Amino acid sequence: MLDLLTSTNPREQRLNDRAPETTASPPNDRRPVVYESAIDRWVVALLLLTPLASLGLGLYAIVIGQPGDAAILFSTGALASLVSVAFALPCRYTVLDDAVSIRCGLICYQVPLADIVSAEPTSTLRSGPALSLRRVAIKTHKRTIIVSPKDRDAFITDILTTND
Protein backbone atom coordinates (compact mmCIF):
# COMPACT_ATOMS: atom_id res chain seq x y z
CA MET A 1 0.00 0.00 0.00
CA LEU A 2 2.85 2.40 0.80
CA ASP A 3 4.34 1.71 -2.64
CA LEU A 4 1.15 3.01 -4.27
CA LEU A 5 1.40 6.31 -2.43
CA THR A 6 5.04 6.98 -3.28
CA SER A 7 6.20 8.13 -6.68
CA THR A 8 7.65 5.53 -9.03
CA ASN A 9 9.20 8.15 -11.28
CA PRO A 10 12.95 8.29 -10.47
CA ARG A 11 13.17 12.01 -11.36
CA GLU A 12 10.36 12.89 -8.93
CA GLN A 13 11.97 10.75 -6.27
CA ARG A 14 15.29 12.63 -6.67
CA LEU A 15 13.47 16.00 -6.39
CA ASN A 16 11.64 14.81 -3.29
CA ASP A 17 14.89 13.62 -1.74
CA ARG A 18 16.43 17.09 -2.23
CA ALA A 19 13.45 18.97 -0.76
CA PRO A 20 14.12 20.27 2.73
CA GLU A 21 12.38 18.48 5.57
CA THR A 22 11.43 21.67 7.42
CA THR A 23 10.68 25.13 6.17
CA ALA A 24 11.96 28.06 8.14
CA SER A 25 9.59 30.96 8.50
CA PRO A 26 10.90 34.41 7.62
CA PRO A 27 12.15 36.45 10.56
CA ASN A 28 9.27 38.92 10.22
CA ASP A 29 5.84 37.50 9.38
CA ARG A 30 4.42 40.92 8.47
CA ARG A 31 3.14 40.99 4.91
CA PRO A 32 3.14 44.09 2.73
CA VAL A 33 -0.15 45.99 2.98
CA VAL A 34 -1.40 47.48 -0.30
CA TYR A 35 -3.62 50.57 -0.32
CA GLU A 36 -5.29 51.40 -3.62
CA SER A 37 -5.65 55.03 -4.55
CA ALA A 38 -9.00 56.73 -4.20
CA ILE A 39 -10.15 58.08 -7.56
CA ASP A 40 -12.33 61.17 -7.88
CA ARG A 41 -14.81 61.37 -10.74
CA TRP A 42 -13.52 64.76 -11.82
CA VAL A 43 -10.02 63.27 -12.27
CA VAL A 44 -11.45 60.55 -14.52
CA ALA A 45 -13.36 63.19 -16.49
CA LEU A 46 -10.20 65.29 -16.83
CA LEU A 47 -8.17 62.30 -18.03
CA LEU A 48 -10.86 61.39 -20.59
CA LEU A 49 -11.42 64.96 -21.82
CA THR A 50 -8.64 65.13 -24.43
CA PRO A 51 -9.17 61.64 -25.92
CA LEU A 52 -12.94 62.08 -26.16
CA ALA A 53 -12.65 65.61 -27.58
CA SER A 54 -10.13 64.37 -30.15
CA LEU A 55 -12.44 61.51 -31.09
CA GLY A 56 -15.45 63.82 -31.50
CA LEU A 57 -13.53 66.39 -33.53
CA GLY A 58 -11.97 63.61 -35.62
CA LEU A 59 -15.39 62.21 -36.47
CA TYR A 60 -16.56 65.72 -37.37
CA ALA A 61 -13.49 66.16 -39.62
CA ILE A 62 -14.39 62.95 -41.45
CA VAL A 63 -17.97 64.16 -41.95
CA ILE A 64 -16.82 67.47 -43.46
CA GLY A 65 -14.31 65.68 -45.72
CA GLN A 66 -11.00 66.30 -43.95
CA PRO A 67 -9.52 62.79 -43.46
CA GLY A 68 -5.99 64.12 -42.90
CA ASP A 69 -7.11 66.31 -40.04
CA ALA A 70 -9.17 63.42 -38.64
CA ALA A 71 -6.08 61.18 -38.60
CA ILE A 72 -4.13 63.82 -36.66
CA LEU A 73 -6.97 64.20 -34.15
CA PHE A 74 -7.30 60.41 -33.70
CA SER A 75 -3.53 60.13 -33.19
CA THR A 76 -3.62 62.95 -30.63
CA GLY A 77 -6.43 61.23 -28.74
CA ALA A 78 -4.62 57.89 -28.77
CA LEU A 79 -1.39 59.50 -27.56
CA ALA A 80 -3.21 61.37 -24.79
CA SER A 81 -4.86 58.11 -23.68
CA LEU A 82 -1.54 56.28 -23.67
CA VAL A 83 0.18 58.98 -21.60
CA SER A 84 -2.72 59.14 -19.14
CA VAL A 85 -2.70 55.39 -18.60
CA ALA A 86 1.09 55.18 -18.45
CA PHE A 87 1.36 57.77 -15.69
CA ALA A 88 -1.85 57.13 -13.74
CA LEU A 89 -2.52 53.39 -13.63
CA PRO A 90 -2.00 51.52 -11.42
CA CYS A 91 -1.90 53.96 -8.53
CA ARG A 92 -1.26 52.26 -5.19
CA TYR A 93 0.75 52.56 -2.02
CA THR A 94 2.37 49.57 -0.32
CA VAL A 95 3.48 49.69 3.30
CA LEU A 96 6.47 47.39 3.64
CA ASP A 97 8.47 46.50 6.75
CA ASP A 98 10.92 49.36 6.24
CA ALA A 99 9.41 51.67 3.60
CA VAL A 100 6.33 52.92 1.81
CA SER A 101 6.40 51.99 -1.86
CA ILE A 102 4.54 54.50 -4.02
CA ARG A 103 3.49 53.44 -7.50
CA CYS A 104 1.61 55.62 -9.94
CA GLY A 105 1.89 54.25 -13.46
CA LEU A 106 5.50 54.10 -14.58
CA ILE A 107 6.62 56.15 -11.59
CA CYS A 108 7.69 54.03 -8.63
CA TYR A 109 9.76 54.98 -5.61
CA GLN A 110 10.13 54.18 -1.93
CA VAL A 111 10.11 56.37 1.16
CA PRO A 112 11.93 54.76 4.10
CA LEU A 113 9.72 54.60 7.19
CA ALA A 114 12.61 55.87 9.31
CA ASP A 115 12.59 59.12 7.29
CA ILE A 116 8.88 59.82 7.86
CA VAL A 117 8.30 62.63 10.34
CA SER A 118 4.50 62.75 10.08
CA ALA A 119 1.53 61.62 8.01
CA GLU A 120 -1.67 63.62 8.15
CA PRO A 121 -4.89 64.06 6.15
CA THR A 122 -4.97 66.98 3.71
CA SER A 123 -6.94 68.30 0.76
CA THR A 124 -4.13 70.23 -0.86
CA LEU A 125 -4.02 70.81 -4.60
CA ARG A 126 -0.27 70.15 -4.70
CA SER A 127 0.89 67.72 -7.32
CA GLY A 128 1.61 64.16 -6.30
CA PRO A 129 0.86 60.53 -7.12
CA ALA A 130 -2.76 60.97 -6.03
CA LEU A 131 -6.01 60.58 -8.00
CA SER A 132 -8.25 62.15 -5.38
CA LEU A 133 -8.42 65.30 -3.27
CA ARG A 134 -8.86 63.19 -0.11
CA ARG A 135 -5.13 63.01 0.40
CA VAL A 136 -2.44 62.21 2.93
CA ALA A 137 0.68 64.35 3.29
CA ILE A 138 3.68 62.20 4.16
CA LYS A 139 6.35 64.52 5.53
CA THR A 140 10.03 63.68 5.71
CA HIS A 141 12.93 65.98 6.64
CA LYS A 142 13.56 66.69 2.95
CA ARG A 143 10.14 66.74 1.26
CA THR A 144 6.40 66.19 1.45
CA ILE A 145 4.77 63.47 -0.65
CA ILE A 146 1.05 63.70 -1.41
CA VAL A 147 -0.85 60.40 -1.79
CA SER A 148 -4.55 59.47 -1.80
CA PRO A 149 -5.27 56.02 -0.35
CA LYS A 150 -8.93 54.95 -0.20
CA ASP A 151 -8.68 54.30 3.54
CA ARG A 152 -6.73 57.33 4.76
CA ASP A 153 -7.05 56.58 8.46
CA ALA A 154 -5.85 52.98 8.19
CA PHE A 155 -2.98 54.07 5.94
CA ILE A 156 -1.84 56.76 8.39
CA THR A 157 -2.15 54.38 11.34
CA ASP A 158 -0.23 51.68 9.49
CA ILE A 159 2.62 54.05 8.60
CA LEU A 160 2.90 55.54 12.06
CA THR A 161 2.67 52.23 13.96
CA THR A 162 5.12 50.50 11.61
CA ASN A 163 7.48 53.45 11.93
CA ASP A 164 7.70 53.12 15.74
Side-chain angles (χ1 to χ4, degrees):
M1 177 89 157
L2 185 59
D3 291 338
L4 294 175
L5 297 175
T6 60
S7 173
T8 57
N9 183 342
R11 185 179 186 307
E12 285 182 30
Q13 188 61 40
R14 282 194 310 268
L15 290 175
N16 288 339
D17 289 344
R18 284 189 284 185
E21 301 258 342
T22 61
T23 57
S25 63
N28 191 345
D29 290 337
R30 178 175 159 75
R31 293 182 173 207
V33 181
V34 178
Y35 294 89
E36 296 295 327
S37 176
I39 302 173
D40 288 345
R41 289 183 182 147
W42 69 269
V43 173
V44 173
L46 191 63
L47 291 174
L48 292 176
L49 181 65
T50 301
L52 292 178
S54 296
L55 176 64
L57 291 171
L59 291 173
Y60 177 72
I62 288 175
V63 168
I64 64 170
Q66 301 290 330
D69 293 342
I72 291 171
L73 286 164
F74 292 146
S75 298
T76 301
L79 182 62
S81 297
L82 182 64
V83 169
S84 294
V85 168
F87 288 102
L89 299 176
C91 191
R92 63 177 173 251
Y93 320 105
T94 307
V95 180
L96 304 168
D97 291 331
D98 60 346
V100 176
S101 175
I102 299 170
R103 167 106 191 242
C104 198
L106 298 174
I107 300 167
C108 186
Y109 55 94
Q110 291 188 353
V111 178
L113 289 174
D115 293 353
I116 295 175
V117 175
S118 68
E120 51 196 38
T122 185
S123 293
T124 183
L125 292 175
R126 287 187 53 202
S127 178
L131 300 176
S132 172
L133 283 181
R134 287 185 39 87
R135 298 171 166 197
V136 173
I138 301 173
K139 295 180 182 178
T140 67
H141 292 291
K142 295 181 180 178
R143 61 184 176 162
T144 299
I145 301 107
I146 306 297
V147 296
S148 62
K150 284 182 184 176
D151 190 352
R152 288 194 308 179
D153 296 330
F155 180 75
I156 291 170
T157 301
D158 201 9
I159 287 176
L160 297 179
T161 56
T162 305
N163 197 11
D164 291 337

